[in-house]
Amino acid sequence: MKIALLGYGKMGQVIERIAIERGHEIILKKEEHNSFDGLENAAVAIDFSVPSAAVLNITKCLNNNVPVISGTTGWLDQYEEMVALCTKNNGAFISSSNFSLGVNIFFEINEYLAKMMSKLDSYSVEMEEIHHTQKLDAPSGTAISLAKGIIENSDLTDWTLGEASANQIHIEAKRIGTVPGTHTVLYNSGVDSIEIKHTAHNREGFALGAVIAAEWIIGKQGIFSMKDVLAL
């Protein structure tokens, strides 16, 4: 299939390689200073750009009837606008904080654990995420998704980067070297600790998941998630 890459940084380049290995063709590599020419000829678009470009990229795709997979985070305050546009245009759209197959399994484990831990008042929960120094948003979209998974399955109501109140989850966001992404959820009590952790070794997992999602969405209409793609 013909793929438009919206954002051609390190992730875009890994996606390109994996897509070509899987028999696909890249017909557009959209960077800051070139145009969207040719987008309308794409079977699907994959957006791994920057927060300031994501909404325009997604809008262009939906207005050109091109299904779009977006892995860009930091723009989700406008997510509902994109959902409305997708619905209006009978388009197809997946936005995920993390396309890694392993991370999406981790999301499921996190929610299941949160449900069990919500019955135990003696435990408090906190999170840590570590990424490379070029990552623009903090906390990561993945960390926010993990926090939401806990909140939906407990009495907690919010997350914070600062000191947490009784109903909040503290997230420690670290930016170190070239770390692709490490996420830890930690439950502490006076007698023990329970920890679950996902460590990405490189960008391959994110890129492969995005290409699999792009393959899956062809011929579909609606707003989907990686749960749909992986039938979780």
Side-chain angles (χ1 to χ4, degrees), residues 4-5 14 17 34 39 77 79 83 90 110 118 139 145-146 160 163 174 192 201 225 229:
L5 286 182
V14 179
R17 177 171 56 76
N34 65 331
L39 174 63
D77 55 331
Y79 176 74
V83 167
N90 296 313
N110 173 62
S118 68
S145 293
L146 288 165
T160 180
E163 185 175 349
K174 298 179 178 178
D192 60 10
H201 300 308
S225 71
V229 176

Short mmCIF file of all heavy atoms in Angstrom, two decimals, residues 4-5 14 17 34 39 77 79 83 90 110 118 139 145-146 160 163 174 192 201 225 229:
data_model
loop_
_atom_site.label_atom_id
_atom_site.label_comp_id
_atom_site.label_asym_id
_atom_site.label_seq_id
_atom_site.Cartn_x
_atom_site.Cartn_y
_atom_site.Cartn_z
N ALA A 4 1.81 7.76 3.31
CA ALA A 4 2.37 9.10 3.50
C ALA A 4 2.92 9.18 4.92
O ALA A 4 2.22 8.85 5.88
CB ALA A 4 1.28 10.15 3.31
N LEU A 5 4.18 9.57 5.05
CA LEU A 5 4.80 9.77 6.36
C LEU A 5 4.75 11.25 6.71
O LEU A 5 5.33 12.08 6.00
CB LEU A 5 6.26 9.30 6.34
CG LEU A 5 6.52 7.79 6.33
CD1 LEU A 5 8.02 7.53 6.37
CD2 LEU A 5 5.83 7.12 7.50
N VAL A 14 12.55 5.03 10.85
CA VAL A 14 12.39 3.62 11.23
C VAL A 14 11.09 3.06 10.65
O VAL A 14 11.06 1.94 10.15
CB VAL A 14 12.42 3.44 12.77
CG1 VAL A 14 12.22 1.97 13.14
CG2 VAL A 14 13.74 3.95 13.35
N ARG A 17 11.61 2.24 6.96
CA ARG A 17 12.34 0.98 6.74
C ARG A 17 11.44 -0.23 6.96
O ARG A 17 11.41 -1.16 6.15
CB ARG A 17 13.56 0.91 7.65
CG ARG A 17 14.33 -0.41 7.54
CD ARG A 17 15.65 -0.36 8.29
NE ARG A 17 15.50 -0.02 9.68
CZ ARG A 17 15.05 -0.86 10.62
NH1 ARG A 17 14.69 -2.10 10.28
NH2 ARG A 17 14.97 -0.48 11.87
N ASN A 34 8.37 21.18 3.50
CA ASN A 34 7.82 20.76 2.22
C ASN A 34 6.30 20.64 2.31
O ASN A 34 5.72 20.77 3.39
CB ASN A 34 8.46 19.46 1.72
CG ASN A 34 8.17 18.28 2.62
OD1 ASN A 34 7.96 18.42 3.81
ND2 ASN A 34 8.14 17.09 2.04
N LEU A 39 -0.48 13.74 -1.02
CA LEU A 39 -1.16 13.10 0.11
C LEU A 39 -2.43 12.39 -0.34
O LEU A 39 -2.74 11.29 0.13
CB LEU A 39 -1.51 14.15 1.17
CG LEU A 39 -2.34 13.67 2.37
CD1 LEU A 39 -1.60 12.62 3.18
CD2 LEU A 39 -2.74 14.84 3.26
N ASP A 77 -5.45 18.07 23.70
CA ASP A 77 -6.50 19.02 24.08
C ASP A 77 -7.42 19.31 22.88
O ASP A 77 -8.53 19.83 23.06
CB ASP A 77 -5.90 20.32 24.62
CG ASP A 77 -4.91 20.97 23.66
OD1 ASP A 77 -4.27 20.25 22.86
OD2 ASP A 77 -4.78 22.21 23.71
N TYR A 79 -8.14 16.76 20.64
CA TYR A 79 -8.50 15.42 20.16
C TYR A 79 -9.97 15.36 19.74
O TYR A 79 -10.30 14.81 18.68
CB TYR A 79 -8.22 14.38 21.24
CG TYR A 79 -8.64 12.98 20.89
CD1 TYR A 79 -7.91 12.22 19.97
CD2 TYR A 79 -9.78 12.40 21.46
CE1 TYR A 79 -8.31 10.93 19.65
CE2 TYR A 79 -10.18 11.12 21.15
CZ TYR A 79 -9.44 10.39 20.24
OH TYR A 79 -9.83 9.11 19.91
N VAL A 83 -11.85 14.05 16.31
CA VAL A 83 -12.88 13.02 16.31
C VAL A 83 -14.12 13.52 15.56
O VAL A 83 -14.70 12.81 14.73
CB VAL A 83 -13.25 12.62 17.75
CG1 VAL A 83 -14.53 11.79 17.79
CG2 VAL A 83 -12.10 11.85 18.40
N ASN A 90 -16.71 10.88 7.52
CA ASN A 90 -16.76 9.41 7.42
C ASN A 90 -15.37 8.83 7.22
O ASN A 90 -15.17 7.92 6.40
CB ASN A 90 -17.70 8.97 6.29
CG ASN A 90 -19.14 9.36 6.54
OD1 ASN A 90 -19.66 9.16 7.63
ND2 ASN A 90 -19.78 9.95 5.54
N ASN A 110 -1.72 -3.02 33.52
CA ASN A 110 -1.83 -1.88 34.43
C ASN A 110 -3.27 -1.70 34.92
O ASN A 110 -3.51 -1.49 36.11
CB ASN A 110 -1.35 -0.62 33.70
CG ASN A 110 -1.58 0.65 34.49
OD1 ASN A 110 -1.04 0.83 35.57
ND2 ASN A 110 -2.39 1.55 33.94
N SER A 118 -7.14 -1.30 44.04
CA SER A 118 -8.12 -0.31 44.53
C SER A 118 -8.84 -0.79 45.79
O SER A 118 -9.42 0.02 46.53
CB SER A 118 -9.14 0.01 43.43
OG SER A 118 -9.96 -1.12 43.16
N PRO A 139 4.54 14.95 31.25
CA PRO A 139 4.95 13.55 31.10
C PRO A 139 4.62 13.03 29.71
O PRO A 139 3.93 13.68 28.95
CB PRO A 139 4.12 12.83 32.17
CG PRO A 139 2.88 13.66 32.28
CD PRO A 139 3.33 15.08 32.11
N SER A 145 -1.56 7.89 29.62
CA SER A 145 -2.47 6.77 29.36
C SER A 145 -2.46 5.78 30.53
O SER A 145 -3.51 5.27 30.93
CB SER A 145 -2.08 6.05 28.07
OG SER A 145 -2.29 6.88 26.94
N LEU A 146 -1.27 5.50 31.07
CA LEU A 146 -1.18 4.62 32.23
C LEU A 146 -1.92 5.21 33.43
O LEU A 146 -2.65 4.52 34.13
CB LEU A 146 0.28 4.37 32.59
CG LEU A 146 1.07 3.46 31.63
CD1 LEU A 146 2.56 3.59 31.88
CD2 LEU A 146 0.62 2.02 31.77
N THR A 160 -0.34 14.25 38.64
CA THR A 160 0.40 15.50 38.76
C THR A 160 1.89 15.25 38.66
O THR A 160 2.37 14.17 39.04
CB THR A 160 0.10 16.21 40.10
OG1 THR A 160 0.84 17.43 40.18
CG2 THR A 160 0.45 15.32 41.30
N GLU A 163 3.88 17.53 43.84
CA GLU A 163 3.57 16.72 45.01
C GLU A 163 2.11 16.30 44.96
O GLU A 163 1.21 17.12 44.74
CB GLU A 163 3.84 17.52 46.29
CG GLU A 163 3.65 16.72 47.56
CD GLU A 163 4.04 17.50 48.80
OE1 GLU A 163 4.65 18.58 48.66
OE2 GLU A 163 3.72 17.03 49.91
N LYS A 174 11.52 12.00 33.66
CA LYS A 174 12.96 12.22 33.54
C LYS A 174 13.36 12.22 32.07
O LYS A 174 12.81 11.44 31.27
CB LYS A 174 13.74 11.13 34.29
CG LYS A 174 13.47 11.10 35.79
CD LYS A 174 14.26 9.99 36.46
CE LYS A 174 14.04 9.97 37.97
NZ LYS A 174 14.78 8.87 38.62
N ASP A 192 5.60 -3.78 51.91
CA ASP A 192 6.20 -4.25 50.65
C ASP A 192 5.88 -3.29 49.51
O ASP A 192 5.17 -2.28 49.68
CB ASP A 192 5.75 -5.67 50.31
CG ASP A 192 4.24 -5.80 50.13
OD1 ASP A 192 3.55 -4.77 50.07
OD2 ASP A 192 3.75 -6.94 50.05
N HIS A 201 13.70 -1.08 24.19
CA HIS A 201 15.14 -1.16 23.89
C HIS A 201 15.52 -0.30 22.68
O HIS A 201 16.69 0.07 22.53
CB HIS A 201 15.53 -2.61 23.63
CG HIS A 201 15.28 -3.51 24.80
ND1 HIS A 201 15.73 -3.24 26.07
CD2 HIS A 201 14.60 -4.68 24.89
CE1 HIS A 201 15.35 -4.21 26.89
NE2 HIS A 201 14.66 -5.08 26.19
N SER A 225 -8.75 2.44 18.32
CA SER A 225 -7.59 2.45 19.21
C SER A 225 -6.77 1.19 18.97
O SER A 225 -7.19 0.30 18.21
CB SER A 225 -8.03 2.48 20.69
OG SER A 225 -8.61 1.23 21.05
N VAL A 229 -7.12 -2.76 17.13
CA VAL A 229 -6.12 -3.36 16.23
C VAL A 229 -5.68 -4.73 16.75
O VAL A 229 -5.57 -5.70 15.99
CB VAL A 229 -4.91 -2.44 16.05
CG1 VAL A 229 -3.83 -3.10 15.19
CG2 VAL A 229 -5.33 -1.10 15.42
#
